[in-house]
Amino acid sequence: MDHHEDLSDLYGGADDDAGADEISIYTRISLPELVDKCILPTLQQASTHIVPSVVLATLCKFISHTVGEGFEVTGLSFLPRQMIHLTSAFMGALLLHLFFQEQIVFVATLAALSYLVLLTTKSAMPRYCGTATAAAVVAFLLVCELFVVSSADWHRIRGAQMILAMKVISIGFDVDRGVLIKVPGISEFVGYAFNVGTVIFGPWISFLDYMTILQLRERKMSFYWIFKMIRSFVASMLCIITSTCVVHWVIIEGSWKWLIAFRDAQSFRFSHYFVSYLSELTITSVGLGAMRSSNGDVKWDFSVARPTEIEFPRSLVEVVTNWNVPMHHWLKTYVFKTARALGTFVAVLLTYAASAILHGLNFQLGAVLLSLGFYSYVEYVLRARLSTIFSACVGAKRCRGDCAHDYKSNSPYVIFTNAMFGCLSVFHLAYLGLMFDSSSQQEKGYTMSHTLSKWSELNYASHWVALVSYVFYLLV
């Protein structure tokens, strides 16, 4: 059940959608009007997010190579490491200020508090760095959200706070488990915490992955590095145009309510893909995210989301797994596996609860994430039961080629069954995502009344289907 954790990110990032106001019309406008009134303004507005992020990230990589290689020539090998980390932190802090102005103080305070807790706990209680850091981070986030920061301001910075929280918590648990032999030094810590390639849009990367930024010769600027950046940029632009303009042009107001639900959910999903590709772009620009292939070459193929697996799902489990791959790994490693001793179902719910806290105290997010956790669990156990009863490859996860089932994946009955479960996943996604619309509440976060009113318009159909599925699972 390692898959559940990642819808955690489920609804983080898409709120950062940078685009013109979605077109909301009852009569479809012409294509030239769509380009003039929506597509071009959307691209212009999106560029305000992309240009400074990519420029500063690329500049950081250029300075790192220049300084690092220059000092290596002179033999002062101890200087480049600190210089590279401090450059990463300085560029990241500058980018934070460009995006959030004075609200940067809350991000900096969280980083300082976390580092102090890490150092103190490592000395006093060396086996509880992760637990203490997580408790301190959650307490800080809750106090800020409930008592200190306005709803609008917190909604703006919560994405950056979430990424930072994930980073410092992962350091604590990695120290506990011996993955890191000590708490990183101050220059390494700030370079990681405020890394310009991940500080705004993410994605989360581990501290050890961040330290590959020092591999200057291996991760040099190359054709493949540039090609990856161009591909991610183009993909992000196509996704934001689809989210903001195309889906609202294809499915206009006044259509059947389930079509409207599918439209709003798909708009939300593509806004998430926009941020995912943008995070790929920024992390690649700064020189991170590359993987070493079997022949020793460095491959720039880091992926955050896999849209094809989400838009054409085999199951909700695969949607969860592919929604945000780094977030999935973080929740699986630091939340799900830790809580698994309490039972799979409890671990799944705690994972989604942890995700909801990181994303902010918002009824809408909590309701969606917990609903998704229940849906995924029900689907997983039901399909596992059916797979056993009929000896067929109809589980939530794809079978390996050497599985012992009588009916393999190419069986017509198996193909039909998996297709039906895939359609059911699309139905659930439309229902869960429809409240992520462009209403005025988006600036401060959606309320309980907004969420319940949206679901009541569809008669809570998805929840009823999930409940019936669970009862059926108990009966069989």
Side-chain angles (χ1 to χ4, degrees):
M1 289 285 291
D2 301 343
H3 36 273
H4 293 79
E5 314 91 48
D6 105 59
L7 250 198
S8 58
D9 208 26
L10 204 168
Y11 301 105
D15 306 298
D16 300 317
D17 185 343
D21 293 336
E22 283 95 343
I23 53 178
S24 182
I25 52 178
Y26 288 89
T27 304
R28 187 175 289 107
I29 62 177
S30 66
L31 185 59
E33 287 180 304
L34 180 71
V35 173
D36 183 58
K37 295 182 178 180
C38 189
I39 294 179
L40 292 180
T42 295
L43 293 176
Q44 182 179 8
Q45 189 175 350
S47 66
T48 64
H49 291 71
I50 294 176
V51 172
S53 302
V54 175
V55 168
L56 288 176
T58 306
L59 182 60
C60 178
K61 181 173 176 60
F62 176 78
I63 292 175
S64 298
H65 277 262
T66 302
V67 173
E69 292 177 357
F71 277 116
E72 285 181 4
V73 170
T74 62
L76 302 177
S77 58
F78 66 97
L79 284 176
R81 300 173 66 92
Q82 295 180 358
M83 289 291 292
I84 291 171
H85 295 312
L86 294 177
T87 299
S88 170
F90 174 76
M91 294 295 183
L94 180 58
L95 189 62
L96 280 169
H97 186 266
L98 288 174
F99 273 79
F100 306 129
Q101 291 78 48
E102 67 274 6
Q103 302 302 328
I104 188 180
V105 67
F106 297 107
V107 183
T109 302
L110 176 58
L113 172 65
S114 302
Y115 193 62
L116 179 62
V117 171
L118 283 168
L119 292 177
T120 303
T121 310
K122 179 60 177 174
S123 300
M125 300 180 294
R127 296 178 58 186
Y128 297 98
C129 286
T131 303
T133 305
V137 166
V138 170
F140 177 85
L141 295 178
L142 293 180
V143 169
C144 285
E145 183 168 7
L146 294 176
F147 306 109
V148 180
V149 189
S150 68
S151 297
D153 287 340
W154 188 254
H155 191 72
R156 287 179 59 223
I157 67 173
R158 68 179 177 86
Q161 291 282 56
M162 182 181 67
I163 294 297
L164 177 58
M166 293 169 62
K167 288 179 179 179
V168 296
I169 290 173
S170 67
I171 287 179
F173 281 107
D174 284 346
V175 170
D176 289 344
R177 296 167 181 174
V179 177
L180 300 177
I181 60 175
K182 63 178 182 178
V183 176
I186 185 65
S187 61
E188 289 88 353
F189 177 82
V190 296
Y192 173 56
F194 298 109
N195 175 254
V196 65
T198 60
V199 71
I200 299 293
F201 302 105
W204 169 81
I205 56 172
S206 70
F207 179 76
L208 291 180
D209 287 337
Y210 162 74
M211 290 298 287
T212 61
I213 198 172
L214 300 174
Q215 298 174 357
L216 302 176
R217 289 193 177 94
E218 296 180 7
R219 295 165 187 254
K220 60 185 178 181
M221 301 179 183
S222 64
F223 167 78
Y224 296 104
W225 175 72
I226 296 174
F227 177 75
K228 171 63 176 178
M229 291 173 60
I230 294 175
R231 185 175 63 178
S232 297
F233 170 76
V234 172
S236 68
M237 291 297 96
L238 291 176
C239 288
I240 192 59
I241 290 173
T242 301
S243 170
T244 308
C245 305
V246 175
V247 296
H248 295 270
W249 183 67
V250 174
I251 304 176
I252 61 176
E253 294 295 331
S255 301
W256 183 40
K257 63 181 181 180
W258 276 101
L259 275 179
I260 296 295
F262 176 80
R263 181 199 68 185
D264 291 344
Q266 190 174 54
S267 176
F268 166 70
R269 293 197 300 273
F270 271 85
S271 69
H272 169 71
Y273 304 151
F274 161 69
V275 177
S276 298
Y277 283 118
L278 182 53
S279 63
E280 288 182 19
L281 174 60
T282 56
I283 195 175
T284 302
S285 300
V286 81
L288 296 171
M291 300 293 292
R292 188 182 298 277
S293 62
S294 56
N295 60 6
D297 295 334
V298 172
K299 298 178 63 177
W300 298 95
D301 57 355
F302 185 86
S303 296
V304 174
R306 301 186 180 109
T308 303
E309 304 297 328
I310 299 170
E311 293 301 312
F312 305 97
R314 172 192 174 88
S315 64
L316 281 177
V317 169
E318 287 201 351
V319 172
V320 169
T321 303
N322 292 290
W323 182 268
N324 188 307
V325 178
M327 185 74 169
H328 167 76
H329 178 71
W330 187 89
L331 283 167
K332 179 177 68 175
T333 303
Y334 303 109
V335 182
F336 183 79
K337 288 184 177 180
T338 302
R340 198 167 191 175
L342 302 174
T344 300
F345 182 69
V346 174
V348 168
L349 292 183
L350 287 177
T351 299
Y352 280 94
S355 172
I357 292 174
L358 286 175
H359 283 85
L361 294 180
N362 183 291
F363 177 85
Q364 172 218 35
L365 287 171
V368 168
L369 289 171
L370 291 176
S371 295
L372 186 63
F374 177 69
Y375 290 5
S376 300
Y377 175 79
V378 170
E379 180 193 43
Y380 182 85
V381 294
L382 173 59
R383 295 182 69 168
R385 182 70 57 84
L386 295 176
S387 178
T388 300
I389 293 174
F390 296 104
S391 187
C393 296
V394 295
K397 287 187 174 181
R398 300 175 189 273
C399 287
R400 296 179 179 178
D402 57 349
C403 72
H405 293 133
D406 295 331
Y407 296 96
K408 304 295 185 180
S409 298
N410 58 356
S411 167
Y413 302 106
V414 171
I415 293 174
F416 175 78
T417 302
N418 288 331
M420 291 299 99
F421 275 110
C423 291
L424 183 61
S425 297
V426 172
F427 163 77
H428 285 312
L429 289 176
Y431 176 85
L432 292 175
L434 89 119
M435 79 280 297
F436 293 90
D437 54 22
S438 56
S439 67
S440 58
Q441 296 187 41
Q442 191 179 37
E443 292 299 319
K444 297 183 179 181
Y446 299 93
T447 63
M448 180 174 67
S449 60
H450 176 270
T451 303
L452 296 180
S453 65
K454 285 286 188 179
W455 280 345
S456 66
E457 292 175 4
L458 300 178
N459 303 313
Y460 298 97
S462 180
H463 283 97
W464 283 112
V465 169
L467 181 60
V468 171
S469 299
Y470 184 62
V471 172
F472 179 71
Y473 157 72
L474 295 177
L475 293 176
V476 299

